[in-house]
Amino acid sequence: MSHFIDAHCHLDYFEDKVSAIIKAAGEAGVKTIITNGTDPISNRKSLELAATYPSVKAALGIYPFEQKPDFDIDAVLVFIDNNRV
């Protein structure tokens, strides 16, 4: 069986279905899933998912905004720096 990697997804969008998604992905040969955070909440959720599921890895970031975000960008950058993944 091949070893596939899902290099970009947002598992936090499917919170109530995450276990089923990860199980189905594993059955299809996906051995690693990288879930991407885009703001403070999704960054923390990505870390939680990576801590819970061995096949999940977290990528932390800030999504480019058209308007000023409703959070402190500098604080997010410090959080990312302190949680290198």
Side-chain angles (χ1 to χ4, degrees), residues 11-80:
L11 288 174
D12 60 301
Y13 291 1
F14 307 98
E15 192 165 343
D16 59 332
K17 299 177 184 175
V18 169
S19 292
I21 291 168
I22 292 170
K23 181 180 179 193
E27 290 170 355
V30 177
K31 302 299 181 200
T32 304
I33 300 171
I34 301 172
T35 189
N36 294 266
T38 59
D39 59 32
I41 294 170
S42 63
N43 283 333
R44 284 181 176 79
K45 187 62 181 172
S46 293
L47 288 172
E48 290 172 17
L49 290 166
T52 303
Y53 299 97
S55 64
V56 175
K57 309 301 178 209
L60 309 180
I62 301 172
Y63 191 79
F65 297 93
E66 292 181 18
Q67 299 176 342
K68 186 174 188 255
D70 61 351
F71 56 83
D72 181 352
I73 290 176
D74 291 330
V76 174
L77 293 174
V78 169
F79 178 82
I80 291 169

